Each structure stands twice: as structure tokens, then as C-alpha cells.
Amino acid sequence: MIPTTLELTADPNGIARAADLLRQGLLVAFPTETVYGLGGDARDGEAVARIYEAKGRPSFNPLIAHVASVEAAQRFVQWSDQAERLANAFWPGPLTLVLPLKPGHGVSSLVTAGLDTLAVRVPAHPTARALLAAVDGPVAAPSANPSGQISPTTATHVHAGLGGRIAAVLDDGPCGVGLESTIVGLTGEPSLLRPGGVALEKIETVLNTRLHLHKAGDMLTAPGQLQSHYAPDAPVRLNAETVQGDEVLLGFGPVICDMNLSETSSLTEAAANLFAALHSLNKTGRPIAISPIPDHGLGAAINDRLRRAAAPRDS
Ligand code: TXA
Ligand code: MG
């Protein structure tokens, strides 16, 4: 138990301090362009165990290793032509690649949950990049929220969920993309393991092939894609045209509502606002109704998160 969580500013001093804490095996939440990540040294089993502990996360759910560059990624995974094409097109950025581990990789088996593959990503956020360069090693980082709850897109969200449980938060304002990275599996036929910040259509264009789509409940290809996830405390109802009873309406497009994801129907803007809107409506304590969101481009990732937020809860 850590009594106070340090608030670090994202300047050279704060970043150096954060890197020190990570090297000591402690946990630091840091901004990425997608959501805030809860970082721990991926080579240090105890640090990774602290991540699972702080989040209350089921241990069968493996973590993404964040690295500073393509070269750094290649130290840990077996590279391929398809990985090269996707990295050229989308790194640094909101794309995670799952690739076979290399012998002698040195990554804790708690990161991979014992799989022989590793999820790697080079984030684009300048503070994340500076931190990874300073640490000079892979940083395991799930979203910095208690397991099953809404992902954090501000340092305030991180404090609300994990304050007192982690060493520090590196604060650099709200995240630009607002949705987690897209995860593509490249261990067999290329497959979409999680929709996210890079639209499926763009990935298919670069690979010049269709991706296999992950089937719900297929735990073999995408461990940890839990049905109920990103869940506010209140019930969530999707595709709502009007409100019922005591509901608050989270709108999209030109609708009368309590809060709007994007009045101009921009999916990019809606993605960036999604988790902050859920955090804030959750505080009203009222059930949440949500307008229909188109299912193309980033809309597919938004709808994936919303279906999980609305799914029946595990007790
Ligand atoms: O945008 C993001 O990806 C954020 C930021 C912090 O980078 N991170 C994030 O991590 O969303 P997390 O732990 O919340 O989600 C990681 C997902 C899980 O669904 C997990 O099952 C999947 O990645 N995953 C990790 N390693 C995998 C592997 N070897 N094979 C298949 N899926 C894997
Ligand atoms: Mg998460």
C-alpha cells in the first residue's frame, strides 16, 4: 500500500523521476495518445505482479509491452514482412501487434500470461516516448483503471481509480485519441483481436488483405476480451433514440441530450470524448442511455467499448 500517489508534471524533471521509479520496480501511470497506461518494468516480475494487484486484474489477461522504437520491439519479437508494413504505416501510434516471442527476450512471463506471443506497441505521445527512451526497456502498461472499469483519459481519472495504490501519475492533460489501441494478431493469418484507435479499413488497405475477425468468447485468440468491461456503476442502454425513466442521455450528432459525444457527428471527436463522458455521467448515479453510433471507422471501436459497458455484469 502506497499512502500517497505522487503527481508528476510532464517536464524533463518529472519524466526523469518517473523513469527512476519504474527502474525501481514501482508503478507509474503515464499518458499515451490513447488512454493513460499503468506502467511497470516488463522485465521485472514483481513490478508486473504489482500491476495486476493495483488493478485487481485477472491474471489470465496479458499486457502490452510499450517500447520506444521499431528496433526496440525487434529485440523481443520475431519480426515479419506484415509487421514491417504495419509499423511503417502506423508507428508510433495507436496500433498494437501480437507477434511470436524471440528466444532470450527477457520479458516476464506475467506480461504474456504464459503465452509464447507478445503484444508490442510504440506509442506516439511525446511524453510516453520520452519516458520509454529514459527507461530504455519495455514497459508493460494496461489502461490505468481498476479492472473492468472505465479507462482513464485524464490524470484525474487515474487518481480517482488508483490513487494510493501506485507510486506516481505523470500528468500531461487529456489523451487525444481517447480509445485504446487496435490490436492485430500476426502469429498466423492476420486477425483483429481488438478494434481501437486505428480503423480496421486502414489496416486492411496496408496489408492488402481482409483481417480475420475475433469471435466473441474466443479466449484462445484474444485472452482477456472480457464481456463486461469499461463498465460504469449504473446500467447502460445502447441505441437509445429517447430517454426512459430517470436516464441521462449521452448523445451523438444533432440530438437534445445531457451530454454530447460530438454535435457534428465526428467519430474522431466522439472517441476522444467517450471515456471522460462515461466517467462524468457515472457520477450522476443515474442510468445511462446512449444514442446510436455509426459502425464504420472509429465507430466500430466505440461500439465495441459501449457493448461491453452495457453487457451483463459479473458479480
Ligand atoms: O491503447 C492501449 O493499448 C492502452 C495503452 C495504455 O497503451 N493499453 C491497453 O492495455 O489497452 P490493456 O491491458 O487494457 O489491454 C491489452 C489487451 C488485452 O485485451 C489483452 O488480452 C490483449 O491486449 N493482449 C495482450 N497480450 C496479448 C497476446 N500475447 N495475445 C493476444 N492478446 C493479447
Ligand atoms: Mg483496459
Side-chain angles (χ1 to χ4, degrees):
M1 179 80 181
I2 295 145
T4 40
T5 295
L6 277 176
E7 176 84 49
L8 300 174
T9 309
D11 57 18
N13 277 336
I15 290 169
R17 186 81 194 278
D20 273 348
L21 293 168
L22 286 170
R23 277 191 293 260
Q24 288 168 40
L26 298 176
L27 304 186
V28 178
F30 64 97
T32 81
E33 70 279 22
T34 60
V35 299
Y36 274 73
L38 177 56
D41 184 337
R43 296 161 299 193
D44 178 344
E46 281 183 37
V48 181
R50 288 190 187 105
I51 296 178
Y52 286 108
E53 187 181 47
K55 283 183 65 88
R57 174 174 236 188
S59 53
F60 51 78
N61 197 350
L63 306 174
I64 297 170
H66 296 67
V67 292
S69 63
V70 173
E71 296 68 40
Q74 289 169 338
R75 279 183 228 144
F76 305 103
V77 290
Q78 293 171 36
W79 207 238
S80 67
D81 177 50
Q82 287 174 324
E84 181 74 16
R85 275 150 72 178
L86 291 178
N88 274 337
F90 302 113
W91 278 1
L95 176 71
T96 294
L97 301 178
V98 174
L99 290 158
L101 273 165
K102 245 182 172 169
H105 53 79
V107 171
S108 159
S109 62
L110 268 184
V111 172
T112 58
L115 300 172
D116 54 8
T117 57
L118 180 69
V120 279
R121 140 167 147 83
V122 179
H125 196 292
T127 297
R129 302 197 73 193
L131 180 64
L132 292 169
V135 172
D136 192 25
V139 171
S143 50
N145 53 277
S147 189
Q149 295 187 16
I150 308 165
S151 298
T153 54
T154 65
T156 309
H157 295 156
V158 177
H159 274 293
L162 297 175
R165 305 176 66 100
I166 62 178
V169 181
L170 191 55
D171 184 356
D172 201 4
C175 303
V177 176
L179 281 176
E180 293 86 347
S181 60
T182 302
I183 306 181
V184 173
L186 291 177
T187 54
E189 297 282 299
S191 57
L192 180 71
L193 301 182
R194 176 178 74 184
V198 177
L200 168 68
E201 297 89 329
K202 291 192 182 170
I203 294 167
E204 293 185 330
T205 303
V206 167
L207 289 182
N208 196 21
T209 182
R210 299 299 294 271
L211 293 190
H212 282 255
L213 299 186
H214 154 68
K215 288 183 239 68
D218 187 353
M219 297 298 280
L220 280 177
T221 54
Q225 288 285 301
L226 298 175
Q227 267 297 322
S228 169
H229 208 90
Y230 309 97
D233 305 311
V236 174
R237 189 168 65 85
L238 305 183
N239 297 313
E241 304 283 359
T242 55
V243 288
Q244 297 171 359
D246 196 29
E247 285 175 344
V248 284
L249 180 63
L250 178 58
F252 178 81
V255 290
I256 295 166
C257 54
D258 298 273
M259 192 172 277
N260 205 316
L261 287 171
S262 171
E263 286 177 16
T264 59
S265 304
S266 152
L267 289 168
T268 314
E269 187 187 18
N273 289 334
L274 178 68
F275 292 134
L278 289 175
H279 274 284
S280 127
L281 291 179
N282 194 30
K283 287 200 193 124
T284 66
R286 289 160 60 188
I288 303 169
I290 306 180
S291 292
I293 316 277
D295 209 41
H296 58 81
L298 286 186
I302 295 172
N303 284 322
D304 171 76
R305 304 304 186 275
L306 289 177
R307 276 191 297 274
R308 290 171 205 280
R313 314 290 161 76
D314 302 328
S315 55

